[in-house]
PDB file of all heavy atoms in Angstrom:
ATOM      1  N   ARG A 122      -0.888  27.125 -12.370  1.00 39.00           N
ATOM      2  CA  ARG A 122      -1.149  27.678 -10.922  1.00 39.00           C
ATOM      3  C   ARG A 122       0.039  27.693 -10.161  1.00 39.00           C
ATOM      4  O   ARG A 122      -0.079  27.941  -8.946  1.00 39.00           O
ATOM      5  CB  ARG A 122      -2.297  26.845 -10.495  1.00 39.00           C
ATOM      6  CG  ARG A 122      -3.543  26.977 -11.303  1.00 39.00           C
ATOM      7  CD  ARG A 122      -4.824  26.393 -10.510  1.00 39.00           C
ATOM      8  NE  ARG A 122      -6.010  26.443 -11.309  1.00 39.00           N
ATOM      9  CZ  ARG A 122      -7.218  26.258 -10.933  1.00 39.00           C
ATOM     10  NH1 ARG A 122      -7.414  25.779  -9.667  1.00 39.00           N
ATOM     11  NH2 ARG A 122      -8.234  26.382 -11.696  1.00 39.00           N
ATOM     12  N   GLY A 123       1.199  27.390 -10.517  1.00 42.00           N
ATOM     13  CA  GLY A 123       2.404  27.350  -9.860  1.00 42.00           C
ATOM     14  C   GLY A 123       2.441  26.491  -8.766  1.00 42.00           C
ATOM     15  O   GLY A 123       3.071  26.729  -7.561  1.00 42.00           O
ATOM     16  N   LEU A 124       1.951  25.248  -8.907  1.00 50.00           N
ATOM     17  CA  LEU A 124       2.034  24.213  -7.831  1.00 50.00           C
ATOM     18  C   LEU A 124       3.353  23.436  -7.779  1.00 50.00           C
ATOM     19  O   LEU A 124       3.441  22.674  -6.859  1.00 50.00           O
ATOM     20  CB  LEU A 124       0.822  23.247  -7.940  1.00 50.00           C
ATOM     21  CG  LEU A 124      -0.523  23.969  -7.870  1.00 50.00           C
ATOM     22  CD1 LEU A 124      -1.718  23.092  -7.965  1.00 50.00           C
ATOM     23  CD2 LEU A 124      -0.581  24.888  -6.635  1.00 50.00           C
ATOM     24  N   TYR A 125       4.194  23.609  -8.794  1.00 48.00           N
ATOM     25  CA  TYR A 125       5.464  22.929  -8.676  1.00 48.00           C
ATOM     26  C   TYR A 125       6.440  23.759  -9.346  1.00 48.00           C
ATOM     27  O   TYR A 125       6.205  24.664 -10.087  1.00 48.00           O
ATOM     28  CB  TYR A 125       5.311  21.557  -9.248  1.00 48.00           C
ATOM     29  CG  TYR A 125       4.982  21.513 -10.817  1.00 48.00           C
ATOM     30  CD1 TYR A 125       5.954  21.729 -11.730  1.00 48.00           C
ATOM     31  CD2 TYR A 125       3.661  21.345 -11.188  1.00 48.00           C
ATOM     32  CE1 TYR A 125       5.605  21.682 -13.053  1.00 48.00           C
ATOM     33  CE2 TYR A 125       3.280  21.290 -12.430  1.00 48.00           C
ATOM     34  CZ  TYR A 125       4.300  21.593 -13.439  1.00 48.00           C
ATOM     35  OH  TYR A 125       3.942  21.439 -14.739  1.00 48.00           O
ATOM     36  N   PRO A 126       7.764  23.551  -9.168  1.00 54.00           N
ATOM     37  CA  PRO A 126       8.768  24.470  -9.655  1.00 54.00           C
ATOM     38  C   PRO A 126       8.959  24.217 -11.113  1.00 54.00           C
ATOM     39  O   PRO A 126       8.622  23.177 -11.652  1.00 54.00           O
ATOM     40  CB  PRO A 126       9.989  24.121  -8.933  1.00 54.00           C
ATOM     41  CG  PRO A 126       9.741  22.639  -8.453  1.00 54.00           C
ATOM     42  CD  PRO A 126       8.282  22.538  -8.220  1.00 54.00           C
ATOM     43  N   ARG A 127       9.361  25.268 -11.715  1.00 43.00           N
ATOM     44  CA  ARG A 127       9.557  25.247 -13.241  1.00 43.00           C
ATOM     45  C   ARG A 127      10.857  24.500 -13.663  1.00 43.00           C
ATOM     46  O   ARG A 127      11.105  24.395 -14.716  1.00 43.00           O
ATOM     47  CB  ARG A 127       9.601  26.635 -13.808  1.00 43.00           C
ATOM     48  CG  ARG A 127       8.209  27.362 -13.630  1.00 43.00           C
ATOM     49  CD  ARG A 127       8.200  28.734 -14.282  1.00 43.00           C
ATOM     50  NE  ARG A 127       6.863  29.377 -14.126  1.00 43.00           N
ATOM     51  CZ  ARG A 127       6.076  29.304 -15.192  1.00 43.00           C
ATOM     52  NH1 ARG A 127       6.294  28.634 -16.209  1.00 43.00           N
ATOM     53  NH2 ARG A 127       4.833  29.926 -15.027  1.00 43.00           N
ATOM     54  N   LYS A 128      11.711  24.253 -12.647  1.00 49.00           N
ATOM     55  CA  LYS A 128      12.864  23.461 -12.897  1.00 49.00           C
ATOM     56  C   LYS A 128      13.182  22.596 -11.655  1.00 49.00           C
ATOM     57  O   LYS A 128      12.748  22.999 -10.683  1.00 49.00           O
ATOM     58  CB  LYS A 128      13.984  24.372 -13.337  1.00 49.00           C
ATOM     59  CG  LYS A 128      14.489  25.373 -12.251  1.00 49.00           C
ATOM     60  CD  LYS A 128      15.588  26.190 -12.835  1.00 49.00           C
ATOM     61  CE  LYS A 128      15.988  27.275 -11.710  1.00 49.00           C
ATOM     62  NZ  LYS A 128      17.020  28.110 -12.241  1.00 49.00           N
ATOM     63  N   ASN A 129      14.009  21.550 -11.881  1.00 53.00           N
ATOM     64  CA  ASN A 129      14.339  20.806 -10.807  1.00 53.00           C
ATOM     65  C   ASN A 129      15.344  21.497  -9.881  1.00 53.00           C
ATOM     66  O   ASN A 129      15.886  22.462 -10.272  1.00 53.00           O
ATOM     67  CB  ASN A 129      15.075  19.420 -11.303  1.00 53.00           C
ATOM     68  CG  ASN A 129      14.165  18.619 -12.180  1.00 53.00           C
ATOM     69  OD1 ASN A 129      12.847  18.547 -11.884  1.00 53.00           O
ATOM     70  ND2 ASN A 129      14.715  17.904 -13.035  1.00 53.00           N
ATOM     71  N   THR A 130      15.213  21.252  -8.517  1.00 55.00           N
ATOM     72  CA  THR A 130      16.066  22.035  -7.628  1.00 55.00           C
ATOM     73  C   THR A 130      16.985  21.106  -6.773  1.00 55.00           C
ATOM     74  O   THR A 130      16.726  19.975  -6.611  1.00 55.00           O
ATOM     75  CB  THR A 130      15.074  22.758  -6.684  1.00 55.00           C
ATOM     76  OG1 THR A 130      14.334  21.864  -5.933  1.00 55.00           O
ATOM     77  CG2 THR A 130      14.237  23.757  -7.343  1.00 55.00           C
ATOM     78  N   LYS A 131      17.997  21.667  -6.306  1.00 51.00           N
ATOM     79  CA  LYS A 131      18.888  21.133  -5.377  1.00 51.00           C
ATOM     80  C   LYS A 131      18.947  21.980  -4.214  1.00 51.00           C
ATOM     81  O   LYS A 131      19.097  23.185  -4.187  1.00 51.00           O
ATOM     82  CB  LYS A 131      20.345  21.076  -5.982  1.00 51.00           C
ATOM     83  CG  LYS A 131      20.453  19.982  -7.171  1.00 51.00           C
ATOM     84  CD  LYS A 131      21.847  19.969  -7.694  1.00 51.00           C
ATOM     85  CE  LYS A 131      22.099  18.930  -8.761  1.00 51.00           C
ATOM     86  NZ  LYS A 131      23.361  18.869  -9.155  1.00 51.00           N
ATOM     87  N   THR A 132      18.738  21.290  -3.036  1.00 48.00           N
ATOM     88  CA  THR A 132      18.865  22.077  -1.688  1.00 48.00           C
ATOM     89  C   THR A 132      20.230  22.281  -1.329  1.00 48.00           C
ATOM     90  O   THR A 132      20.411  23.134  -0.368  1.00 48.00           O
ATOM     91  CB  THR A 132      18.029  21.271  -0.712  1.00 48.00           C
ATOM     92  OG1 THR A 132      18.654  20.051  -0.482  1.00 48.00           O
ATOM     93  CG2 THR A 132      16.517  21.084  -1.072  1.00 48.00           C
ATOM     94  N   SER A 133      21.180  21.718  -1.743  1.00 46.00           N
ATOM     95  CA  SER A 133      22.686  21.862  -1.489  1.00 46.00           C
ATOM     96  C   SER A 133      23.549  21.054  -2.425  1.00 46.00           C
ATOM     97  O   SER A 133      23.083  20.180  -3.037  1.00 46.00           O
ATOM     98  CB  SER A 133      22.767  21.263  -0.046  1.00 46.00           C
ATOM     99  OG  SER A 133      24.092  21.161   0.317  1.00 46.00           O
ATOM    100  N   ASP A 134      24.697  21.515  -2.519  1.00 47.00           N
ATOM    101  CA  ASP A 134      25.639  20.848  -3.411  1.00 47.00           C
ATOM    102  C   ASP A 134      26.164  19.557  -2.632  1.00 47.00           C
ATOM    103  O   ASP A 134      26.904  18.829  -3.306  1.00 47.00           O
ATOM    104  CB  ASP A 134      26.868  21.741  -3.758  1.00 47.00           C
ATOM    105  CG  ASP A 134      26.421  22.853  -4.562  1.00 47.00           C
ATOM    106  OD1 ASP A 134      25.488  22.675  -5.403  1.00 47.00           O
ATOM    107  OD2 ASP A 134      27.097  23.964  -4.505  1.00 47.00           O
ATOM    108  N   ARG A 135      25.770  19.424  -1.381  1.00 56.00           N
ATOM    109  CA  ARG A 135      26.267  18.267  -0.623  1.00 56.00           C
ATOM    110  C   ARG A 135      25.307  17.114  -0.590  1.00 56.00           C
ATOM    111  O   ARG A 135      25.482  16.201   0.128  1.00 56.00           O
ATOM    112  CB  ARG A 135      26.498  18.753   0.742  1.00 56.00           C
ATOM    113  CG  ARG A 135      27.662  19.716   0.797  1.00 56.00           C
ATOM    114  CD  ARG A 135      27.915  20.195   2.323  1.00 56.00           C
ATOM    115  NE  ARG A 135      26.738  20.954   2.835  1.00 56.00           N
ATOM    116  CZ  ARG A 135      25.888  20.543   3.715  1.00 56.00           C
ATOM    117  NH1 ARG A 135      25.905  19.227   4.033  1.00 56.00           N
ATOM    118  NH2 ARG A 135      24.835  21.244   4.094  1.00 56.00           N
ATOM    119  N   GLN A 136      24.136  17.239  -1.337  1.00 56.00           N
ATOM    120  CA  GLN A 136      23.081  16.287  -1.161  1.00 56.00           C
ATOM    121  C   GLN A 136      23.552  14.847  -1.634  1.00 56.00           C
ATOM    122  O   GLN A 136      24.215  14.824  -2.667  1.00 56.00           O
ATOM    123  CB  GLN A 136      21.809  16.626  -1.814  1.00 56.00           C
ATOM    124  CG  GLN A 136      21.838  16.430  -3.364  1.00 56.00           C
ATOM    125  CD  GLN A 136      22.354  17.632  -4.019  1.00 56.00           C
ATOM    126  OE1 GLN A 136      22.622  18.637  -3.343  1.00 56.00           O
ATOM    127  NE2 GLN A 136      22.712  17.437  -5.155  1.00 56.00           N
ATOM    128  N   THR A 137      23.060  13.810  -0.898  1.00 80.00           N
ATOM    129  CA  THR A 137      23.327  12.448  -1.265  1.00 80.00           C
ATOM    130  C   THR A 137      22.016  11.862  -1.679  1.00 80.00           C
ATOM    131  O   THR A 137      21.977  10.670  -2.222  1.00 80.00           O
ATOM    132  CB  THR A 137      24.073  11.637  -0.312  1.00 80.00           C
ATOM    133  OG1 THR A 137      23.235  11.552   0.918  1.00 80.00           O
ATOM    134  CG2 THR A 137      25.319  12.261   0.085  1.00 80.00           C
ATOM    135  N   MET A 138      20.902  12.471  -1.468  1.00 91.00           N
ATOM    136  CA  MET A 138      19.538  11.943  -1.744  1.00 91.00           C
ATOM    137  C   MET A 138      18.996  12.665  -2.957  1.00 91.00           C
ATOM    138  O   MET A 138      19.306  13.859  -3.222  1.00 91.00           O
ATOM    139  CB  MET A 138      18.587  12.053  -0.557  1.00 91.00           C
ATOM    140  CG  MET A 138      18.763  11.136   0.605  1.00 91.00           C
ATOM    141  SD  MET A 138      17.355  11.153   1.754  1.00 91.00           S
ATOM    142  CE  MET A 138      17.966  10.051   3.059  1.00 91.00           C
ATOM    143  N   LYS A 139      18.134  11.833  -3.614  1.00 95.00           N
ATOM    144  CA  LYS A 139      17.384  12.430  -4.754  1.00 95.00           C
ATOM    145  C   LYS A 139      15.844  11.953  -4.649  1.00 95.00           C
ATOM    146  O   LYS A 139      15.601  10.660  -4.494  1.00 95.00           O
ATOM    147  CB  LYS A 139      18.027  12.095  -6.031  1.00 95.00           C
ATOM    148  CG  LYS A 139      17.121  12.692  -7.202  1.00 95.00           C
ATOM    149  CD  LYS A 139      17.936  12.552  -8.546  1.00 95.00           C
ATOM    150  CE  LYS A 139      18.173  11.225  -9.003  1.00 95.00           C
ATOM    151  NZ  LYS A 139      18.747  11.212 -10.396  1.00 95.00           N
TER     152      LYS A 139
END
Side-chain angles (χ1 to χ4, degrees):
R122 298 195 180 184
L124 301 184
Y125 60 85
R127 292 177 178 270
K128 59 183 179 180
N129 297 332
T130 61
K131 292 185 178 182
T132 56
S133 167
D134 291 334
R135 298 177 290 102
Q136 78 276 345
T137 60
M138 282 195 187
K139 178 168 69 173

